[in-house]
Amino acid sequence: MENRGVNFYVEAGKRAMGWHKEYLKEIRNCRFDTIAVHGIYSMQEALDFNQGSLIEPVYLSTSQAYRDSDEMEAALGYMIPTWCYSRIANPSMYYYEGVLALLEGYGSGTETSCLGTASGMAAIQSAVDPFLVVDPKRPGAKMNFVATCQVYGGTFQQFAMRKEKERNIEWRKVLHSNDLSEWEKLIDENTRFLYGEMPSNPALAFFDLKKVIELAHKYNLPIIIDSTVATPALLRPIEYGADIVVQSVTKSLATSGTSVCGAVISRKNIVSSIDNDEMKADFCTYLKLLPNRDNGPNISPMSAMFAMNDIRTIRSRMDMVSCSTQKVAEFLENHPKIEKVDYLGLPSNDLHALASEYMFLVDSEHDARYGKKVNRYGHLMSFRVKGGAKPTRDVFDAFQRIYRATDLGRIKSVATIPAISTHSQQGEEGRKLAQIPDNLIRLCVGGEHPDDIIKDLEQALDSLNRKRIFKGSPEYSAAGASSAKLQ
Ligand SMILES: *Cc1c(COP(=O)(O)O)cnc(C)c1O
């Protein structure tokens, strides 16, 4: 082949970016469901480059080959669209990031970008670490960040152990996230970001997002929101001005439960007093091209593909499971053996009114069944069994339909006891802070008919009065041995 020069490829790259931008403009004008179904995979992409494949292709290749040295030079200089090497990027990862950026930014009128990660925890680490760098103006100062204490157990460990204990970065805990003065009191010149999970897993804490965003920006700080429990079908923090959203895509977004994956989504031009213009201009693209290239926590093409196939139906699914959960929560609230039900959809919940200002089924006003904005509160709920830990475990052990698993967001109903699972590592003190009593069962209602889930709960609660018969034999496959403490 004749030598065609770097510019030949740069020009071809510009043409591709041109038609890609046109497509983006069109898809941005579509409704949420259309975006979820098609994402950024256009018909042109399918017909011209992917043998007409209706569904986004999976390229199980570690790397991309180039036509000649000029194309390689243009690619590695990020001058043309390229994915180069699957630790940094991959076509499937690109489609995954594209759809999540659009969904999380839906209705915000602002441009967003996304970074795909191998897990929700990797998304959180990727999102917070760039802010935890030494300030050359105050090189000896101890850094801190201000975050709600009601967070997912893994997040609690990452903040308490990996940041605070190992790296001497102070986690200033907000105990009452609806007390704005508490957030404000914790902020000082060494604070790097504000962080909140809402609704939180499993306690369903919920704060006044607009006010906390305003506070963050008053101090020139970015605000990061873990919005896993809501998904973009019910809440999109960027619409209210949040800088960065993290998602454990593993959960409701990828409901089938075949892959662990995560995402960071950011607006353009985030707020931060850190002197790094490239990072602030396009946070996720910066993460992708620099820190995550070097650290390597990115998503595999198979996980991206599995997740995308579930994401297509996220809106109608969140509608369905929210309605079912409402019914289950109402049943439990009226049950004599239940001490308390925590679900944002119940008027008895202290945070019901506040959550109702934020959690809406996206596009319900354009849905023939509703014709107006309707509240939906997701499928995570928890309930407390009267009498403490023992009867709680008995009820839990009696479930026949609801799976006992440390998981949520599944199309199948799953339940766990947080005190002995997700929140066991943080000890009694940490559990008290996160408000996790030992009679709490976290339940995530799936896609089954709600009457069958109610039936299962009913028989499990009735079983408190009868002797239980174990089902299944305690045989283990060798595959579990490495994670169990057997060796
Ligand atoms: C599960 C979860 C995470 C962690 O995500 P993984 O994909 O399991 O790493 C983070 N935040 C919330 C709210 C979660 O439920």
Side-chain angles (χ1 to χ4, degrees):
M1 199 200 297
E2 71 194 284
N3 189 327
R4 304 202 256 187
V6 169
N7 213 38
F8 172 80
Y9 294 107
V10 172
E11 288 305 317
K14 278 187 193 151
R15 286 195 297 278
M17 290 319 288
W19 62 254
H20 177 65
K21 269 206 185 110
E22 280 303 305
Y23 175 76
L24 275 185
K25 228 192 280 169
E26 279 168 36
I27 194 78
R28 271 211 193 90
N29 285 328
C30 293
R31 300 256 192 252
F32 189 91
D33 278 340
T34 311
I35 296 172
V37 168
H38 289 272
I40 61 166
Y41 186 61
S42 62
M43 205 176 273
Q44 179 159 5
E45 195 103 55
L47 297 176
D48 291 352
F49 304 107
N50 291 295
Q51 318 213 24
S53 173
L54 193 75
I55 296 299
E56 295 86 338
V58 184
Y59 288 103
L60 284 179
S61 174
T62 47
S63 50
Q64 178 183 18
Y66 298 106
R67 290 169 179 83
D68 59 17
S69 59
D70 291 329
E71 190 184 27
M72 181 181 266
E73 187 181 345
L76 275 79
Y78 296 139
M79 289 183 269
I80 55 173
T82 184
W83 54 278
C84 185
Y85 184 62
S86 285
R87 168 161 38 78
I88 308 164
N90 173 280
S92 308
M93 179 179 177
Y94 163 79
Y95 299 127
Y96 168 96
E97 292 170 338
V99 70
L100 286 169
L102 289 175
L103 295 182
E104 204 63 63
Y106 186 76
S108 68
T110 187
E111 241 185 276
T112 46
S113 50
C114 171
L115 167 82
T117 57
S119 67
M121 292 320 302
I124 294 169
Q125 187 185 13
S126 301
V128 304
D129 268 11
F131 300 109
L132 300 175
V133 291
V134 173
D135 178 354
K137 282 177 255 130
R138 275 187 292 271
K142 180 170 171 168
M143 291 177 250
N144 70 72
F145 58 95
V146 174
T148 54
C149 66
Q150 288 172 314
V151 289
Y152 170 69
T155 309
F156 195 100
Q157 290 302 110
Q158 187 181 114
F159 287 176
M161 305 309 291
R162 309 283 88 81
K163 306 286 186 260
E164 196 157 59
K165 186 149 179 264
E166 292 180 357
R167 289 170 57 187
N168 197 32
I169 298 162
E170 190 184 354
W171 172 11
R172 297 193 170 169
K173 294 188 188 71
V174 179
L175 304 184
H176 309 96
S177 58
N178 267 307
D179 180 352
L180 208 66
S181 69
E182 198 183 315
W183 288 87
E184 188 157 18
K185 264 196 307 234
L186 298 173
I187 298 172
D188 68 14
E189 71 278 11
N190 295 312
T191 302
R192 294 302 161 79
F193 59 86
L194 305 191
Y195 183 100
E197 185 177 309
M198 68 180 277
S200 73
N201 166 11
L204 298 168
F206 201 94
F207 52 86
D208 200 332
L209 187 57
K210 281 182 258 186
K211 289 191 180 144
V212 179
I213 291 171
E214 212 171 280
L215 181 72
H217 291 173
K218 178 173 145 192
Y219 290 92
N220 205 25
L221 294 170
I223 175 155
I224 305 169
I225 302 290
D226 182 338
S227 186
T228 298
V229 170
T231 82
L234 304 184
L235 176 71
R236 292 166 307 290
I238 287 173
E239 191 178 348
Y240 299 102
D243 299 278
I244 297 162
V245 170
V246 289
Q247 286 283 353
S248 168
V249 179
T250 317
K251 308 294 168 49
S252 307
L253 282 161
T255 192
S256 301
T258 47
S259 45
V260 169
C261 45
V264 183
I265 302 98
S266 62
R267 64 167 57 249
K268 298 284 166 72
N269 301 313
I270 61 164
V271 174
S272 167
S273 39
I274 289 181
D275 188 20
N276 183 342
D277 291 340
E278 194 184 355
M279 176 184 86
K280 287 187 278 196
D282 187 345
F283 185 68
C284 284
T285 305
Y286 166 83
L287 290 183
K288 189 180 176 69
L289 299 184
L290 297 164
N292 279 29
R293 176 196 67 187
D294 303 337
N295 293 325
N298 289 342
I299 190 171
S300 94
M302 282 309 282
S303 298
M305 192 65 238
F306 282 131
M308 260 186 296
N309 279 334
D310 282 344
I311 289 169
R312 300 184 212 282
T313 52
I314 185 67
R315 194 188 80 95
S316 46
R317 210 162 11 87
M318 289 311 282
D319 185 20
M320 172 180 72
V321 294
S322 297
C323 293
S324 297
T325 309
Q326 184 77 32
K327 196 167 178 192
V328 170
E330 283 164 13
F331 160 78
L332 286 170
E333 192 169 46
N334 294 315
H335 198 286
K337 286 178 188 157
I338 299 298
E339 180 185 300
K340 186 168 187 274
V341 179
D342 290 307
Y343 183 56
L344 291 169
L346 292 175
S348 61
N349 189 295
D350 291 341
L351 296 167
H352 175 73
L354 181 62
S356 303
E357 287 177 35
Y358 286 98
M359 296 187 75
F360 295 97
L361 176 66
V362 64
D363 279 348
S364 50
E365 67 273 35
H366 306 296
D367 185 324
R369 275 169 302 176
Y370 305 120
K372 61 177 185 350
K373 282 181 95 169
V374 296
N375 284 118
R376 289 291 179 266
Y377 304 91
H379 55 152
L380 185 66
M381 61 170 293
S382 60
F383 58 95
R384 299 165 202 217
V385 179
K386 281 183 185 165
K390 173 73 172 69
T392 303
R393 288 174 86 134
D394 287 344
V395 168
F396 184 73
D397 291 345
F399 293 152
Q400 314 261 335
R401 175 69 56 205
I402 300 165
Y403 277 99
R404 285 165 288 275
T406 307
D407 204 352
L408 61 94
R410 298 284 78 90
I411 195 70
K412 296 181 179 183
S413 292
V414 289
T416 190
I417 299 179
I420 57 166
S421 58
T422 51
H423 291 69
S424 67
Q425 292 160 333
Q426 66 200 59
E428 206 161 319
E429 197 51 39
R431 281 198 291 278
K432 208 179 270 170
L433 282 177
Q435 296 174 20
I436 311 290
D438 58 9
N439 67 335
L440 186 86
I441 294 180
R442 183 185 79 186
L443 170 65
C444 192
V445 179
E448 305 93 342
H449 195 287
D451 291 351
D452 290 320
I453 296 308
I454 288 172
K455 226 185 266 174
D456 195 30
L457 287 162
E458 203 160 31
Q459 66 77 28
L461 286 158
D462 284 349
S463 78
L464 286 177
N465 306 325
R466 62 168 198 262
K467 210 169 151 43
R468 214 157 32 79
I469 303 156
F470 271 112
K471 269 191 177 177
S473 73
E475 297 299 328
Y476 298 103
S477 93
S482 60
S483 53
K485 291 176 184 156
L486 298 173
Q487 300 98 322

